Amino acid sequence: MKITKLSILMVIIMLPFMFIQYNTTRMTKLDAAMLKQVDTAFVNAINDGMTALRLSATAGDYQVDGKLRVDPMEAVGGLVKSLSLTLCVPPEQVLQYVPVILFVDYDGFYLYRLQEVEVDGQWVRTHRLSPKYYFTYSQGNEIIQLTLGQEVTVIDRTTGVRMASVLSDLGIEESEHKQWMVEDIQQALADTIASHNALVDRNSTVYEFYLPAISDQKYTSLLEDISVMAIFQGKKVGRRTVDLVGLENAALLHRQVYVGFKSSIDGRDYYCREQDQVLASEQAVESFASAQDAADRGYYPYNK
């Protein structure tokens, strides 16, 4: 009889702990499932934005003077509309969690961001597309305007004379040129998020937005083609807070093809540019639109 009473007592003591453990596990699984849904919606929204951009570039007269003309708002609008429909909230509410959308063009980039503008004599906060930030680098008395390709424009600070050139003629390595552009983008993003926080703080918003840690490799992949990157932060999902970064290339320029191959020397999988000499003695296995795509498939950069 004493053993039976002791068993009942143990069950009474343990039951609340078992219930708490069960409920915690269930809530954790539910949070993970909801976060997965938001993550999928965000990835799809990035894809939808770039699809809208590709369709507009194909349908419109964007090939003028040998330069591809694209409208950043096609990508921004497609992204925001997709996320709005999937999450079942109005676009204005979606943008509460998007401190910045970056759009990389051939010779610069735009930022879709929160700004304070004057409308009918009153100052209002609204999301607007920034003027284009041109990729530039200062060298002595010259300003060098960079592009995603090899072409550059050299501007004399004193006379204002512009001269077309290419990277190799100026002795600029491709890695240097990409790093300069990455630094321009990083600084602009940091400044934009700081400005965003300053504006929303006036409404006593609790969440503080920040620039996530993004590898240089991912930044460089943005410069493979016309592309977009968006940051989605601060939305509560269950007991957790969303913190997402998404990026995608539009594959409109088709400037470079990367090829994957298995080395006949060490048997490892490498990738290189289609025109690299190593392919004269190696058998190509598959091709990619960007170096990042090749790396994602398990290929290593060939640097020998």
Side-chain angles (χ1 to χ4, degrees), residues 136-151:
T136 60
Y137 177 75
S138 296
Q139 185 172 279
N141 194 45
E142 296 174 336
I143 297 174
I144 303 172
Q145 285 191 346
L146 307 168
T147 67
L148 299 185
Q150 298 294 311
E151 306 85 3

Side-chain angles (χ1 to χ4, degrees), residues 152-208:
V152 298
T153 301
V154 181
I155 305 171
D156 188 288
R157 289 178 183 271
T158 304
T159 64
V161 173
R162 304 169 67 92
M163 181 184 69
S165 186
V166 293
L167 293 174
S168 57
D169 288 349
L170 300 177
I172 300 174
E173 297 289 337
E174 186 171 352
S175 58
E176 281 184 309
H177 138 258
K178 290 290 177 65
Q179 186 59 38
W180 294 337
M181 292 193 288
V182 167
E183 290 171 358
D184 282 352
I185 290 172
Q186 288 174 325
Q187 186 60 57
L189 287 174
D191 291 344
T192 297
I193 291 179
S195 173
H196 183 92
N197 282 328
L199 287 172
V200 298
D201 275 352
R202 298 177 190 175
N203 266 8
S204 300
T205 302
V206 175
Y207 188 83
E208 183 173 353

Side-chain angles (χ1 to χ4, degrees), residues 51-63 68-69 74 252:
T51 299
L53 180 73
R54 294 186 194 103
L55 291 174
S56 67
T58 302
D61 182 18
Y62 285 93
Q63 197 69 26
L68 189 68
R69 309 292 182 182
E74 292 288 348
L252 287 171

